[in-house]
Amino acid sequence: MIWEVFRQEKPGDYHTHCGNVHAPDREMAKQFAVIQHGRRKPTESLWVVPQEEVGEVDADEVAFGGTTDKSYRWAMAYTSSTEHAKEVIASQQEQEQAEADRQRGDD
Amino acid sequence: MAATEIELTPDQRLALETELRTLADDEFVLAERYTEWQVHAPTLESDLALANIAQDELGHARLWYDLLEELGYDETDLLWERDPDTFRHATLSELPFPEGEWADAIVRSYLFDVAEGLRLESLEESAYPAIADRVGKIQREEGYHTEHAENWLERLATDDEGGDHLQAAVDRLFPHALALFVPTEPVPFGAETVSGDGAGSQYTDTDALPDAATVEETIVAEGYRTDSLATLGERWLDRVVPTLESHGLRTPVPADGEITDELVPDACGRNGRHTDDWDTLYADFTHTYRELGREDATMIMDRPE
Amino acid sequence: MDVETVKERAGPREFSPADDMPEKYRKAATRMIQFHANSEIMGAYLEKPFIRQAPSIDRKLAFSAKVQDEIGHGQLLYRAAESLGIKTREEMLDELANGEGKFLNCFHYPMESWAEVPMIAFFVDGAAMRRQATLKSSSWEPYAHAMDKVCFEEGFHVKHGEDIMARMATGSRKEQQMLQDAFDEWWPRIIQFFGPTDDKSTHHDFSAEVGLKQKTNDELRNAFLDAYVPKAKSYGLEIPEYPRIEEVGDGEYHVEEDDLDWDEFFTVSKNEYEPGKGQIDSRKAAQEAVDWVRDTIEGDANLPGSQAAPAAD
């Protein structure tokens, strides 16, 4: 069976998908993943998940974030002031980045 | 193309306004009700999902109201200072949710979303280009809504108690859902929207307006909507009745499938008659606007394209 | 791992469910994160009526989105709390319903008018964001991860709240007066958001030693005043005379704590404030009214994707 593998590079990071392995069970999936996906890249932790347990929904099936204007959800829509606490500015910058990534995906 | 570039006869404009008000009011008022589930839904995840559906519907209402704005109205005319008797949503949208009746939200959403899907299909080729242009965006979001309702319907129906709740909701809501296919009584033109030469001024007076059936004929004859409400109603019954029955739910539709006027409530919304709950809802959602003595509605977003 | 090792290793995002954490740490972290999660839910509860009462379509959309986000934050935080293995989400939500779950003082006070909206949506959210930004460095990794997403979203909330305030502050005389009245009423509560000075706070020391918490109450309150007193003034709001606030130079503030009603604060904090009890109870009624739905879907524990997933081994 196939196991999807998620790697965390260092403590505190997110586990992100990095590949998969064939293995007969969870124990062997972990052993194989250690070598196949953790032997060179910095690795703090790996997760293995049976591929058949992964549910998927993709952009053909659903319009992520909607198709009508939802700019009211974004900090950028509010322009009554330009002075903000630093964490508010940081949040807006992250949102601008996410929105830019979304727009790129639409092209 | 801007709608204002199209020259409309008073009858055309009346037909168009009637269709737009119907679409917009249904979505707005239903969204208003859906938001009641925010913070009250059965689980945190289902709370998020229904909140999103409410926002989608509000966004759709915004698109339709915006087309009315192109005909000379503004948001205050269409919502905040509007006479509540001139709202034309079907009563399905306005009924309050009995406390804890999640099945009501699901059945209502199912009945409404299937109807909306069919209505949108018959607007895809609308002779009024601005309508046709907006349909696609709405349809993409409606797909999620219908599947969401169907998924819940299926899950609740497999449980005895869930089935009882669903049946009670069908019994309560089905007549009000039939109202979705009742021709809409037109609303007089706002005096501020009638041009200097007086075109359309005859329709600023309720008594001078043609009846709902006549306006419905114009809507179809002009191709603003390509199917009649009667046709849409049949398609809707063909879809929802077998689905509900497959979940063990009974509907009030007789065996011969004939829908008679007796099945539709007297106050069905489309005819300008509403339930008492509508007055309460209207008073509540306009409360702040009146309390603050506002004269305009704050926009955050740009006008829709 | 023993407590001493935890203290030695304590650093940002240092510990995860893969670590064998001592019970003392797990309990302290659960208490802190559960409090935070409860506050998200009760904050959403407090603001919900203003979705309906928002005075324009766009405001209504924004308000719905904001309340939705707060519930989403509750979802993230209860998961982070659950990952400590002390309590399930259901137990925590039941505790909140029963009046045992504690939450922020500000969310015990009923809100009646639109003018009060910016008090929560700008000042309280602004205060919360000050704190949350520091919690991205919490030692419990799932908590820090939740904070990543919360902080990402929260900028919208604060700016939306500010936008509502800006509109009122530049509106009619009546709106300006309503805003000032709301500010007068809420200001002391907002200052109390950060709790009493550290030596009066019981749970602080251990949480700080094991890195769950990054800043002291005083530091956060100062940082808040530093950013938000000038904000209030820029909208023409007069800072109430009490509690006395003294600027001691370099953006540092000193609050005369005896000017604040700490008896009320502790009554509120123990869920014994009458109007707040009403809110807890009516939320409980709403939660119980949909018990049947949860029973229906949770009966299928062996369906794929339900919560009975195998434990990590």
Side-chain angles (χ1 to χ4, degrees):
Chain A
M1 77 193 265
I2 296 170
W3 297 74
E4 297 298 338
V5 184
F6 298 77
R7 185 179 64 242
Q8 180 196 45
E9 284 200 2
K10 43 183 202 304
D13 280 0
Y14 290 80
H15 284 76
T16 54
H17 186 250
C18 64
N20 39 45
V21 290
H22 275 274
D25 56 46
R26 189 196 303 263
E27 272 317 302
M28 295 204 67
K30 290 198 285 189
Q31 286 202 310
F32 292 159
V34 165
I35 306 305
Q36 172 62 334
H37 297 291
R39 74 179 183 277
R40 194 171 283 117
K41 291 229 171 143
T43 303
E44 169 66 23
S45 152
L46 292 176
W47 289 344
V48 296
V49 180
Q51 187 184 57
E52 65 199 28
E53 294 294 328
V54 176
E56 181 178 356
V57 53
D58 68 23
D60 288 338
E61 294 164 69
V62 70
F64 294 103
T67 40
T68 54
D69 191 350
K70 296 205 166 31
S71 52
Y72 58 86
R73 279 183 189 163
W74 299 83
M76 296 78 87
Y78 303 91
T79 53
S80 50
S81 167
T82 50
E83 302 270 312
H84 301 287
K86 63 178 189 291
E87 62 278 8
V88 175
I89 295 168
S91 170
Q92 174 156 339
Q93 284 167 347
E94 287 178 33
Q95 293 192 10
E96 282 166 356
Q97 186 59 49
E99 180 63 6
D101 293 345
R102 258 170 60 86
Q103 300 280 348
R104 249 198 311 284
D106 289 344
D107 294 339
Chain B
M1 141 168 10
T4 42
E5 289 166 20
I6 298 175
E7 281 292 328
L8 297 167
T9 66
D11 283 307
Q12 287 174 325
R13 190 182 140 192
L14 190 69
L16 192 58
E17 276 195 19
T18 304
E19 184 69 1
L20 289 170
R21 281 182 193 270
T22 306
L23 290 163
D25 293 349
D26 270 351
E27 300 260 28
F28 180 84
V29 177
L30 184 62
E32 197 60 66
R33 284 300 182 200
Y34 280 156
T35 64
E36 287 176 14
W37 283 103
Q38 290 197 250
V39 197
H40 285 181
T43 63
L44 300 178
E45 288 81 0
S46 55
D47 204 298
L48 298 170
L50 199 60
N52 217 72
I53 292 172
Q55 288 166 42
D56 286 347
E57 303 292 26
L58 262 180
H60 304 169
R62 187 174 165 270
L63 288 177
W64 299 133
Y65 284 130
D66 180 70
L67 292 186
L68 285 161
E69 290 183 26
E70 290 187 1
L71 297 172
Y73 298 96
D74 64 24
E75 193 179 313
T76 61
D77 303 324
L78 297 167
L79 286 169
W80 312 103
E81 296 175 17
R82 180 164 158 197
D83 176 351
D85 292 340
T86 66
F87 279 76
R88 290 292 182 262
H89 56 275
T91 39
L92 181 71
S93 300
E94 79 191 26
L95 299 176
F97 293 108
E99 186 171 28
E101 279 309 325
W102 183 247
D104 184 308
I106 297 309
V107 171
R108 189 180 310 203
S109 167
Y110 175 68
L111 298 176
F112 180 82
D113 290 328
V114 172
E116 197 194 353
L118 293 167
R119 195 167 187 130
L120 290 171
E121 273 175 33
S122 80
L123 294 170
E124 283 173 7
E125 307 287 327
S126 175
Y128 194 69
I131 291 182
D133 288 348
R134 292 179 179 201
V135 168
K137 277 184 193 179
I138 298 178
Q139 283 173 320
R140 286 277 303 196
E141 293 180 342
E142 283 301 326
Y144 182 94
H145 301 184
T146 314
E147 275 182 40
H148 176 265
E150 286 170 344
N151 272 329
W152 269 107
L153 203 56
E154 214 169 286
R155 274 152 192 75
L156 294 179
T158 53
D159 178 270
D160 285 347
E161 194 187 352
D164 293 344
H165 283 276
L166 287 174
Q167 185 62 57
V170 172
D171 293 345
R172 183 168 57 242
L173 297 172
F174 206 91
H176 295 281
L178 292 171
L180 291 166
F181 304 100
V182 172
T184 301
E185 202 71 47
V187 174
F189 294 158
E192 70 282 16
T193 67
V194 174
S195 57
D197 60 10
S201 59
Q202 73 272 35
Y203 287 159
T204 56
D205 177 10
T206 311
D207 295 335
L209 296 175
D211 66 12
T214 308
V215 175
E216 163 66 9
E217 275 171 33
T218 311
I219 292 169
V220 180
E222 292 292 339
Y224 297 142
R225 172 168 25 82
T226 52
D227 294 299
S228 70
L229 290 172
T231 305
L232 295 177
E234 282 164 26
R235 286 184 197 153
W236 180 80
L237 285 172
D238 287 347
R239 205 168 133 192
V240 301
V241 173
T243 303
L244 293 174
E245 283 174 353
S246 76
H247 292 304
L249 298 165
R250 298 174 307 278
T251 71
V253 179
D256 62 7
E258 201 60 40
I259 299 293
T260 54
D261 287 348
E262 287 85 77
L263 287 176
V264 182
D266 293 337
C268 72
R270 293 285 195 252
N271 56 4
R273 294 171 58 197
H274 292 275
T275 63
D276 293 344
D277 296 310
W278 167 239
D279 294 328
T280 316
L281 180 61
Y282 177 84
D284 203 8
F285 85 72
T286 55
H287 169 82
T288 299
Y289 184 87
R290 283 179 284 110
E291 183 189 30
L292 301 179
R294 288 268 167 100
E295 291 172 350
D296 67 291
T298 305
M299 307 264 296
I300 297 167
M301 295 182 275
D302 296 333
R303 291 277 298 270
E305 286 162 20
Chain C
M1 204 181 304
D2 62 33
V3 170
E4 286 318 305
T5 315
V6 172
K7 288 181 184 172
E8 276 164 33
R9 278 182 51 188
R13 309 181 179 219
E14 182 64 26
F15 308 118
S16 77
D19 293 303
D20 173 29
M21 302 305 290
E23 194 177 8
K24 192 172 180 195
Y25 178 93
R26 292 188 293 121
K27 281 191 167 161
T30 302
R31 182 169 50 232
M32 181 171 172
I33 303 171
Q34 181 181 0
F35 180 92
H36 196 164
N38 290 345
S39 299
E40 298 283 353
I41 303 296
M42 293 310 289
Y45 183 85
L46 191 61
E47 291 193 293
K48 169 199 166 94
F50 295 95
I51 304 170
R52 171 146 302 160
Q53 294 186 7
S56 82
I57 295 185
D58 285 6
R59 285 271 190 254
K60 191 181 290 288
L61 277 164
F63 230 101
S64 171
K66 196 220 165 180
V67 171
Q68 178 189 32
D69 283 352
E70 307 293 14
I71 295 296
H73 298 171
Q75 193 271 356
L76 298 169
L77 287 160
Y78 283 122
R79 283 294 308 128
E82 265 185 328
S83 68
L84 288 148
I86 301 283
K87 293 175 190 171
T88 64
R89 179 166 99 179
E90 196 181 353
E91 286 168 332
M92 291 184 272
L93 283 167
D94 284 345
E95 286 179 9
L96 182 61
N98 295 334
E100 296 161 49
K102 305 297 194 306
F103 57 95
L104 273 171
N105 71 315
C106 291
F107 300 146
H108 289 256
Y109 297 97
M111 257 164 89
E112 269 145 30
S113 116
W114 183 253
E116 293 175 271
V117 163
M119 303 306 131
I120 297 287
F122 181 59
F123 290 109
V124 175
D125 279 7
M129 228 182 141
R130 287 255 108 153
R131 171 144 69 195
Q132 283 160 345
T134 71
L135 293 172
K136 282 182 168 190
S137 306
S138 175
S139 62
W140 186 240
E141 178 200 276
Y143 191 25
H145 283 181
M147 285 304 106
D148 287 341
K149 184 150 188 269
V150 168
C151 290
F152 165 68
E153 295 179 348
E154 198 82 23
F156 145 51
H157 300 185
V158 175
K159 289 189 72 187
H160 170 238
E162 181 168 6
D163 202 60
I164 291 171
M165 187 163 81
R167 166 81 206 243
M168 292 196 77
T170 56
S172 65
R173 261 280 168 73
K174 180 184 172 187
E175 290 199 33
Q176 291 175 6
Q177 189 56 51
M178 286 171 73
L179 191 65
Q180 181 68 50
D181 291 347
F183 188 67
D184 291 347
E185 187 176 16
W186 279 84
W187 182 241
R189 305 167 181 171
I190 294 165
I191 307 262
Q192 287 179 312
F193 172 97
F194 296 101
T197 295
D198 299 317
D199 55 23
K200 293 184 193 164
S201 160
T202 44
H203 301 309
H204 176 72
D205 287 350
F206 181 75
S207 307
E209 281 166 7
V210 295
L212 282 167
K213 197 169 165 176
Q214 297 296 314
K215 296 264 189 204
T216 68
N217 292 353
D218 282 352
E219 286 167 333
L220 288 167
R221 186 168 48 214
N222 272 333
F224 170 75
L225 293 169
D226 182 19
Y228 287 85
V229 167
K231 269 289 184 191
K233 288 180 176 166
S234 76
Y235 288 105
L237 289 171
E238 272 179 49
I239 309 293
E241 195 177 341
Y242 294 98
R244 284 164 288 176
I245 295 171
E246 192 189 351
E247 199 175 340
V248 292
D250 251 13
E252 287 278 302
Y253 288 88
H254 174 75
V255 178
E256 195 55 65
E257 286 191 68
D258 292 342
D259 289 352
L260 291 159
D261 186 345
W262 293 103
D263 287 342
E264 179 174 292
F265 177 84
F266 286 111
T267 304
V268 164
S269 302
K270 282 183 275 183
N271 295 349
E272 287 169 4
Y273 177 69
E274 279 305 326
K277 273 161 78 175
Q279 296 186 169
I280 295 167
D281 289 345
S282 57
R283 194 197 144 271
K284 176 186 187 181
Q287 182 176 321
E288 286 178 349
V290 283
D291 270 346
W292 71 270
V293 185
R294 283 189 295 276
D295 290 347
T296 303
I297 52 175
E298 280 158 17
D300 300 334
N302 48 7
L303 283 179
S306 69
Q307 54 175 236
D313 58 5

